[in-house]
mmCIF file of all heavy atoms in Angstrom:
data_model
loop_
_atom_site.group_PDB
_atom_site.id
_atom_site.type_symbol
_atom_site.label_atom_id
_atom_site.label_comp_id
_atom_site.label_asym_id
_atom_site.label_seq_id
_atom_site.Cartn_x
_atom_site.Cartn_y
_atom_site.Cartn_z
ATOM 1 N N PHE A 36 34.459 73.551 -44.088
ATOM 2 C CA PHE A 36 33.825 74.151 -42.900
ATOM 3 C C PHE A 36 32.624 73.526 -42.387
ATOM 4 O O PHE A 36 32.107 73.747 -41.345
ATOM 5 C CB PHE A 36 33.575 75.722 -43.196
ATOM 6 C CG PHE A 36 34.897 76.445 -43.436
ATOM 7 C CD1 PHE A 36 35.320 76.625 -44.759
ATOM 8 C CD2 PHE A 36 35.705 76.884 -42.314
ATOM 9 C CE1 PHE A 36 36.490 77.307 -44.950
ATOM 10 C CE2 PHE A 36 36.823 77.590 -42.635
ATOM 11 C CZ PHE A 36 37.239 77.760 -43.969
ATOM 12 N N ARG A 37 32.155 72.540 -43.131
ATOM 13 C CA ARG A 37 30.853 71.808 -42.728
ATOM 14 C C ARG A 37 31.300 70.432 -42.378
ATOM 15 O O ARG A 37 30.395 69.545 -42.181
ATOM 16 C CB ARG A 37 29.844 71.711 -43.979
ATOM 17 C CG ARG A 37 29.277 73.128 -44.199
ATOM 18 C CD ARG A 37 28.002 73.032 -45.047
ATOM 19 N NE ARG A 37 28.286 72.340 -46.242
ATOM 20 C CZ ARG A 37 28.621 72.824 -47.448
ATOM 21 N NH1 ARG A 37 28.672 74.226 -47.563
ATOM 22 N NH2 ARG A 37 28.779 72.127 -48.542
ATOM 23 N N ASP A 38 32.538 70.102 -42.262
ATOM 24 C CA ASP A 38 32.947 68.709 -41.946
ATOM 25 C C ASP A 38 32.628 68.442 -40.477
ATOM 26 O O ASP A 38 33.113 69.074 -39.624
ATOM 27 C CB ASP A 38 34.512 68.605 -42.168
ATOM 28 C CG ASP A 38 35.121 67.200 -41.812
ATOM 29 O OD1 ASP A 38 34.387 66.372 -41.244
ATOM 30 O OD2 ASP A 38 36.270 67.056 -42.230
ATOM 31 N N PRO A 39 31.805 67.417 -40.202
ATOM 32 C CA PRO A 39 31.394 67.146 -38.878
ATOM 33 C C PRO A 39 32.618 66.619 -37.969
ATOM 34 O O PRO A 39 32.458 66.667 -36.785
ATOM 35 C CB PRO A 39 30.291 66.029 -39.027
ATOM 36 C CG PRO A 39 30.660 65.409 -40.263
ATOM 37 C CD PRO A 39 31.267 66.576 -41.254
ATOM 38 N N LEU A 40 33.649 66.180 -38.570
ATOM 39 C CA LEU A 40 34.851 65.689 -37.904
ATOM 40 C C LEU A 40 35.904 66.745 -37.671
ATOM 41 O O LEU A 40 36.884 66.626 -37.023
ATOM 42 C CB LEU A 40 35.374 64.465 -38.538
ATOM 43 C CG LEU A 40 34.418 63.366 -38.655
ATOM 44 C CD1 LEU A 40 35.084 62.208 -39.292
ATOM 45 C CD2 LEU A 40 33.951 62.842 -37.299
ATOM 46 N N ALA A 41 35.703 68.000 -38.212
ATOM 47 C CA ALA A 41 36.630 69.152 -38.179
ATOM 48 C C ALA A 41 36.566 69.636 -36.696
ATOM 49 O O ALA A 41 35.592 69.624 -36.002
ATOM 50 C CB ALA A 41 36.369 70.122 -39.031
ATOM 51 N N LEU A 42 37.869 70.051 -36.211
ATOM 52 C CA LEU A 42 37.915 70.700 -34.878
ATOM 53 C C LEU A 42 38.424 72.089 -35.126
ATOM 54 O O LEU A 42 39.415 72.296 -35.807
ATOM 55 C CB LEU A 42 38.912 69.866 -34.107
ATOM 56 C CG LEU A 42 39.275 70.415 -32.705
ATOM 57 C CD1 LEU A 42 38.116 70.378 -31.794
ATOM 58 C CD2 LEU A 42 40.413 69.607 -32.074
ATOM 59 N N THR A 43 37.742 73.062 -34.541
ATOM 60 C CA THR A 43 38.132 74.427 -34.599
ATOM 61 C C THR A 43 38.581 74.801 -33.212
ATOM 62 O O THR A 43 37.843 74.653 -32.140
ATOM 63 C CB THR A 43 36.917 75.247 -35.050
ATOM 64 O OG1 THR A 43 36.481 74.828 -36.276
ATOM 65 C CG2 THR A 43 37.314 76.794 -35.029
ATOM 66 N N VAL A 44 39.768 75.396 -33.092
ATOM 67 C CA VAL A 44 40.336 75.813 -31.793
ATOM 68 C C VAL A 44 40.478 77.282 -31.974
ATOM 69 O O VAL A 44 41.173 77.785 -32.766
ATOM 70 C CB VAL A 44 41.674 75.043 -31.534
ATOM 71 C CG1 VAL A 44 42.297 75.590 -30.318
ATOM 72 C CG2 VAL A 44 41.502 73.574 -31.560
ATOM 73 N N PHE A 45 39.972 78.031 -31.000
ATOM 74 C CA PHE A 45 39.956 79.372 -31.046
ATOM 75 C C PHE A 45 41.162 79.851 -29.982
ATOM 76 O O PHE A 45 41.247 79.346 -28.863
ATOM 77 C CB PHE A 45 38.752 80.109 -30.513
ATOM 78 C CG PHE A 45 37.540 79.881 -31.474
ATOM 79 C CD1 PHE A 45 36.686 78.775 -31.274
ATOM 80 C CD2 PHE A 45 37.471 80.604 -32.612
ATOM 81 C CE1 PHE A 45 35.677 78.563 -32.134
ATOM 82 C CE2 PHE A 45 36.388 80.521 -33.450
ATOM 83 C CZ PHE A 45 35.474 79.410 -33.288
ATOM 84 N N GLY A 46 42.064 80.659 -30.529
ATOM 85 C CA GLY A 46 43.190 81.030 -29.674
ATOM 86 C C GLY A 46 42.882 82.174 -28.777
ATOM 87 O O GLY A 46 41.953 83.118 -29.001
ATOM 88 N N GLY A 47 43.422 82.059 -27.540
ATOM 89 C CA GLY A 47 43.157 83.092 -26.464
ATOM 90 C C GLY A 47 44.163 84.286 -26.718
ATOM 91 O O GLY A 47 45.243 84.046 -27.116
#
Side-chain angles (χ1 to χ4, degrees):
F36 296 94
R37 293 192 307 262
D38 183 346
L40 300 178
L42 174 65
T43 301
V44 178
F45 296 94

